[in-house]
Amino acid sequence: METIQNTLIDTANTLSARYLPLTPIAILIGVTCLVAQIFLTLLLDKRVFPRKWHGPWNDLPGFTAHQLISLPLMCILTYYGMRDWYLDPNNDVGNDTSYDRVFGTTNLNDIPLAIGSGAILIWDTPTSLLVPALQDPLMLFHHVGMFLVASTMSGAFSGGQMIGYYYACYYFGVIEVSSIPLSYVDVFHPKYKYYFEWLNDEKSGNRPMMKKVVHGLNEFCRISFAIAFLIFRGVYFPYVAFQSTIPDLWYAYHDETKAVPDGVPMWTGYFLIGFVTLFALLQFYWGTLVLKQIYKVVIPGDNGKKKSKKKTKSN
């Protein structure tokens, strides 16, 4: 067992040093997720293991496997993010200036950044390209952008010097609190017809008690997701980005009293400012979409009234 462990570590170190813009721990996490994806997909696929009774998870094995892996990852990210951003008394120690918050700390074994870079590059992106149910151009752009930001912050393009590590626990931790209920709610979205039809098929008498529990949990998660998303992504994300992160990056890279650390290209600062800005605007836009959905639920008859008025005018 120890030999296998040492071999994996040596392989990860080799790949990190020569081929991939990732830390060794990021490579190990990414490969673990990829192996789990392949194993769970084969296990759930009814074509590989035929069975008399099956559910939508057997009709969408790749998508189901992806969600099963995503949920614990989101829980891990949320735990580290909440702990370090809100509860760690030492989080602000030694981070008094913009330069300190951007260049002051390096931790190559950081778990959230390893997940944000390794899991996305090695597991999430290939899975999103190969599994039809996950093929969404906007989400692919979002995840590739997350990988580029995470790898840049991890020091992949700056000789191991981490950039903005102070903010890693927020951008790759705190905001994922909304992703925990989303990983469940997303399963029953109408676009995944097998799950949607299974949940809403009232004629089917198959396991009615289980469906009742699943439906109730889905409603609870929908509400939890909407609240968490609006707070941590729709509002707080743009606030942290424009009030703290972007100014800190600008002042750190243009500090007249301290030079940028050796090996850190100037483009990394502009790149992070650009992508943090894009992500902040994207989160705000998604927040408006969530608000529209809440409005439709709270005032369900409003759209109907508008449609009837339009029909009356046309007549």
Side-chain angles (χ1 to χ4, degrees), residues 64 90 169 200 227 271 282:
T64 304
N90 298 318
C169 58
N200 295 281
I227 295 172
F271 170 81
L282 184 61

Side-chain angles (χ1 to χ4, degrees), residues 5 7-13 15 22-35 114 118-119 122:
Q5 182 179 351
T7 301
L8 289 173
I9 293 174
D10 291 340
T11 303
N13 286 328
L15 291 173
L22 300 169
T23 60
I25 191 171
I27 293 175
L28 290 175
I29 290 174
V31 170
T32 300
C33 291
L34 181 61
V35 171
I122 299 175

Side-chain angles (χ1 to χ4, degrees), residues 24-142:
I25 191 171
I27 293 175
L28 290 175
I29 290 174
V31 170
T32 300
C33 291
L34 181 61
V35 171
Q37 175 73 37
I38 296 171
F39 172 76
L40 289 172
T41 300
L42 294 175
L43 183 65
L44 293 168
D45 197 325
K46 61 185 180 183
R47 295 168 298 182
V48 178
F49 295 104
R51 61 208 81 191
K52 293 182 179 179
W53 184 86
H54 69 274
W57 41 89
N58 304 122
D59 295 306
L60 296 170
F63 169 72
T64 304
H66 182 272
Q67 298 305 102
L68 289 173
I69 297 168
S70 295
L71 179 58
L73 286 181
M74 296 306 104
C75 292
I76 292 170
L77 290 174
T78 300
Y79 165 74
Y80 278 103
M82 291 294 184
R83 185 196 68 177
D84 296 342
W85 186 255
Y86 291 111
L87 303 177
D88 186 1
N90 298 318
N91 190 41
D92 293 324
V93 176
N95 292 309
D96 301 321
T97 67
S98 296
Y99 192 94
D100 294 331
R101 288 188 288 273
V102 173
F103 299 121
T105 307
T106 291
N107 177 14
L108 297 179
N109 293 319
D110 184 73
I111 298 296
L113 280 177
I115 294 174
S117 55
I120 287 180
L121 179 64
I122 299 175
W123 161 66
D124 189 70
T125 300
T127 302
S128 298
L129 290 171
L130 295 174
V131 177
L134 295 170
Q135 292 172 353
D136 184 336
L138 180 59
M139 290 307 299
L140 180 62
F141 165 78
H142 178 252

Side-chain angles (χ1 to χ4, degrees), residues 3 7 52 62 70 93 98 104 182 184 188 195 223 230 235 250 273:
T3 303
T7 301
K52 293 182 179 179
S70 295
V93 176
S98 296
L182 177 62
Y184 183 86
F188 301 104
Y195 273 105
I223 297 171
L230 289 175
V235 177
W250 179 264
I273 289 174

